Amino acid sequence: MNDPRTSGVFRTKVQERFCIETRPDPCGVILFGASGDLAERKLYPSLFHLKLLKQLPDRFYVVGVGRTALSDDAFREKVRGSLKGGTAADRSEFLERFYYHPLRYDQPADYTALCARLDQWDARWNTRGNRLMYLALPPTLYEKVVEQLGKAEFDKEREGGRGWSRLVIEKPFGRDRASAQALARKLRHVFDETQTYRIDHYLGKETVQNILVLRFANILFEPVWNRSFVDHVQITVAESLGVGHRAGYYEEAGCLRDMFQNHLLQLLCVTAMETPAGFQADRVRDESVKALRAVRPWTTATVDKTIVRGQYTAGAVDGHPVPGYRQEPDVPAESRTETFVAMKLRVDNWRWQGVPFYLRSGKRLAERRSEIVVQFKHVPHSLFQPLQPTDLGANRLILRIQPREGISLTFDTKHPGPKLCMSTVEMDFDYEESFGEPPEAYERLFLDAMAGDQTLFTRSDWIDLSWALLDPVHARWADTGGPAPYAAGGWGPEAADRLLAADERAWAL
């Protein structure tokens, strides 16, 4: 019997049923770190695209805050250079709502002056005193700025339920459990948890959000989403780029802090969580916390057996030679910072007992690719002798997060004709093909913050648990040798392949 495993593709048909729309409140956006890279690359373009889509509230304004002295007009021209799409009239209309306020982050008088100007803009744009404060700043400034915001009473919400105040902060949330707890105490001293929005932009990506819909809006998947049918789960966040201009930050963080404490563990929780009691922020986040709490903690002995770390050396990416990590600008010649991590972990609960989860992330890998692979088990018995169950293709569900967001499912089928020839085919759903280009993750997160929806934002107890899991790993690494070298342009150290090979498995890519 022939068994040619060629691949076919089935395309999807889209039928819209209904929409649940996030409706943001009128507000002023106060953006600290207005001249920074994040603001120019992501935040201003996201706000502008929302304006073009008519999804921003009619009554809003934006205030850029920074240490650089700029006039409103100079600031508007700076923002204009980051905007894409639309017409000149669209950009001019958008930018007339932009203002700039120079501020020294440790000077109370500057915050008092800012507050006085905000009162004027609130009145001009009729935003009812609603204020969204966004800290696009180095994390070393978080506690200082939050303290000054508290002294200037930026946290106070107005009487009668009018005039909310919300704080948005970017990762990293500390560099270990102790520093994360110190930051949490500072935040709680000024802002209530319901006012605090911790951003992990991966949760704003369409495919990540769609995991909840895929699992809980379709009866097909949830019955097999467990240890009885799933063999293992792989989560990969691969980057082809090197450290670039972020060497200063990366030397302090490394791959484990930069990618696992937030992105990878968030993807794990969305995949592994139980069904929430309802689609409300804390009901969803409760289940995310429960999933993280079920992850088996690492010990000194298990770190060495289940976690691999590496550091890229010189190689070639897309046919172009690239330097090794230690040859990158501002990287010490003897750096022991990991640029790659692969790990095997267990989720110790009824649903996932015995199912390994394999997570990996790294820089200077073969391609930019982020995906979740749910690998199902083989059939228990083969009707098609002499083929054995392991000769038949096991079903695989792939949730692609980037670069092209989508979902695919593989299954076996028969070729036409008198012979019984089987092939593995792929049923594929591509977001861009079906709906057009997916929105930038920050667009959804901006809208949710303006609407007061914390579903896609990280809660403080989740942050604490994530650091509690990873601190023992860092402690073990401090007492052992450095990361294993791997050539740029590959898929990491050979030890990452052996991690799965020991279980008679292999990475999906």
Side-chain angles (χ1 to χ4, degrees):
M1 183 183 300
N2 295 326
D3 185 27
R5 298 205 172 271
T6 57
S7 179
V9 176
F10 291 90
R11 292 300 175 190
T12 53
K13 179 179 179 181
V14 177
Q15 180 181 358
E16 183 175 309
R17 295 190 180 276
F18 67 96
C19 298
I20 300 174
E21 184 178 5
T22 299
R23 301 188 66 84
D25 296 333
C27 66
V29 178
I30 301 94
L31 182 57
F32 293 80
S35 299
D37 180 65
L38 175 65
E40 293 185 12
R41 284 191 305 108
K42 298 293 186 180
L43 305 186
Y44 301 140
S46 293
L47 284 170
F48 183 54
H49 194 233
L50 289 172
K51 182 69 167 62
L52 293 177
L53 295 175
K54 302 186 185 305
Q55 292 181 340
L56 285 180
D58 292 333
R59 306 193 304 275
F60 82 96
Y61 65 89
V62 179
V63 181
V65 176
R67 288 179 286 207
T68 305
L70 289 174
S71 66
D72 289 346
D73 287 340
F75 176 54
R76 289 167 181 156
E77 288 307 305
K78 184 177 181 64
V79 174
R80 188 187 300 274
S82 68
L83 306 182
K84 299 177 182 178
T87 65
D90 291 329
R91 291 188 284 275
S92 295
E93 181 185 353
F94 178 66
L95 291 170
E96 72 177 2
R97 298 169 181 264
F98 275 64
Y99 306 91
Y100 187 81
H101 183 84
L103 180 141
R104 296 161 294 178
Y105 295 124
D106 59 349
Q107 294 299 310
D110 291 2
Y111 291 82
T112 302
L114 172 60
C115 195
R117 296 188 74 189
L118 291 177
D119 289 338
Q120 297 173 6
W121 294 319
D122 287 343
R124 174 175 179 181
W125 295 104
N126 191 22
T127 57
R128 304 204 301 255
N130 296 330
R131 295 170 183 173
L132 183 69
M133 289 154 284
Y134 198 121
L135 303 191
L137 294 168
T140 52
L141 292 173
Y142 286 170
E143 293 189 33
K144 183 183 298 183
V145 171
V146 168
E147 180 181 2
Q148 295 300 331
L149 289 173
K151 289 180 179 179
E153 298 189 340
F154 275 76
D155 58 311
K156 299 297 186 263
E157 299 189 337
R158 283 59 170 176
E159 63 280 355
R162 296 168 65 86
W164 48 253
S165 295
R166 296 171 188 152
L167 180 75
V168 179
I169 61 174
E170 288 272 350
K171 77 168 185 78
F173 312 115
R175 68 181 315 274
D176 52 25
R177 192 180 190 189
S179 60
Q181 289 176 337
L183 175 61
R185 286 192 296 270
K186 178 65 71 173
L187 290 171
R188 283 196 301 269
H189 183 69
V190 178
F191 291 94
D192 187 80
E193 181 67 25
T194 60
Q195 296 176 282
T196 306
Y197 291 69
R198 300 171 188 84
I199 273 191
D200 183 339
H201 73 272
Y202 259 66
L203 294 182
K205 292 182 178 292
E206 287 292 324
T207 302
V208 176
Q209 297 172 54
N210 203 46
I211 296 172
L212 298 176
V213 177
L214 181 81
R215 290 185 57 188
F216 306 128
N218 298 286
I219 200 170
L220 176 65
F221 296 105
E222 195 60 17
V224 297
W225 208 265
N226 56 59
R227 60 187 172 85
S228 297
F229 296 94
V230 175
D231 179 78
H232 69 277
V233 177
Q234 300 179 22
I235 302 176
T236 295
V237 178
E239 299 178 274
S240 59
L241 296 176
V243 71
H245 64 277
R246 301 174 67 223
Y249 161 74
Y250 206 83
E251 268 298 292
E252 290 294 318
C255 184
L256 193 68
R257 288 188 176 95
D258 186 46
M259 298 299 294
F260 281 77
Q261 183 273 325
N262 37 75
H263 303 331
L264 273 294
L265 289 182
Q266 287 284 10
L267 295 178
L268 167 73
C269 289
V270 173
T271 305
M273 69 165 59
E274 296 297 324
T275 307
F279 195 57
Q280 294 86 36
D282 273 337
R283 300 296 76 77
V284 174
R285 298 195 296 176
D286 285 345
E287 298 306 328
S288 181
V289 167
K290 290 178 187 177
L292 193 61
R293 189 174 284 122
V295 174
R296 186 181 301 176
W298 279 284
T299 65
T300 298
T302 59
V303 167
D304 296 343
K305 294 179 180 178
T306 59
I307 303 181
V308 173
R309 56 175 170 157
Q311 184 186 90
Y312 67 84
T313 59
V317 177
D318 293 329
H320 301 288
V322 294
Y325 178 72
R326 294 181 181 182
Q327 287 75 54
E328 299 278 16
D330 302 320
V331 174
E334 302 300 322
S335 172
R336 298 173 69 232
T337 300
E338 79 283 356
T339 62
F340 175 96
V341 176
M343 63 174 58
K344 171 185 174 181
L345 57 78
R346 300 282 188 175
V347 179
D348 286 332
N349 60 19
W350 189 282
R351 180 185 293 265
W352 296 114
Q353 190 62 42
V355 178
F357 286 74
Y358 302 101
L359 281 60
R360 66 173 172 174
S361 182
K363 291 188 174 295
R364 288 296 189 206
L365 298 181
E367 60 181 286
R368 176 175 175 258
R369 178 82 71 90
S370 297
E371 64 182 32
I372 300 169
V373 177
V374 181
Q375 180 68 56
F376 292 94
K377 294 182 177 181
H378 289 278
V379 296
H381 171 70
S382 173
L383 303 179
F384 310 106
Q385 298 297 326
L387 292 180
Q388 298 302 305
T390 52
D391 295 324
L392 301 174
N395 302 126
R396 175 182 290 174
L397 182 68
I398 302 177
L399 308 165
R400 301 189 307 273
I401 300 168
Q402 61 183 21
R404 289 188 68 89
E405 299 186 51
I407 302 171
S408 63
L409 176 66
T410 65
F411 58 92
D412 274 10
T413 189
K414 177 188 176 296
H415 277 216
K419 294 182 179 180
L420 183 57
C421 299
M422 287 181 284
S423 293
T424 297
V425 296
E426 182 179 69
M427 190 159 52
D428 185 74
F429 165 66
D430 185 281
Y431 268 94
E432 187 169 346
E433 183 178 287
S434 299
F435 299 119
E437 185 177 357
E440 166 62 48
Y442 281 96
E443 295 177 27
R444 171 63 186 271
L445 297 173
F446 259 125
L447 287 179
D448 284 356
M450 292 176 179
D453 184 347
Q454 292 183 302
T455 304
L456 301 179
F457 295 85
T458 308
R459 207 166 61 186
S460 60
D461 53 349
W462 192 97
I463 297 292
D464 188 63
L465 284 168
S466 66
W467 282 121
L469 277 173
L470 297 183
D471 272 2
V473 180
H474 284 119
R476 173 59 180 164
W477 285 353
D479 296 333
T480 58
Y486 65 94
W491 284 106
E494 292 181 2
D497 295 329
R498 293 197 296 270
L499 186 67
L500 274 69
D503 298 333
E504 299 184 344
R505 299 184 176 99
W507 294 104
L509 56 85

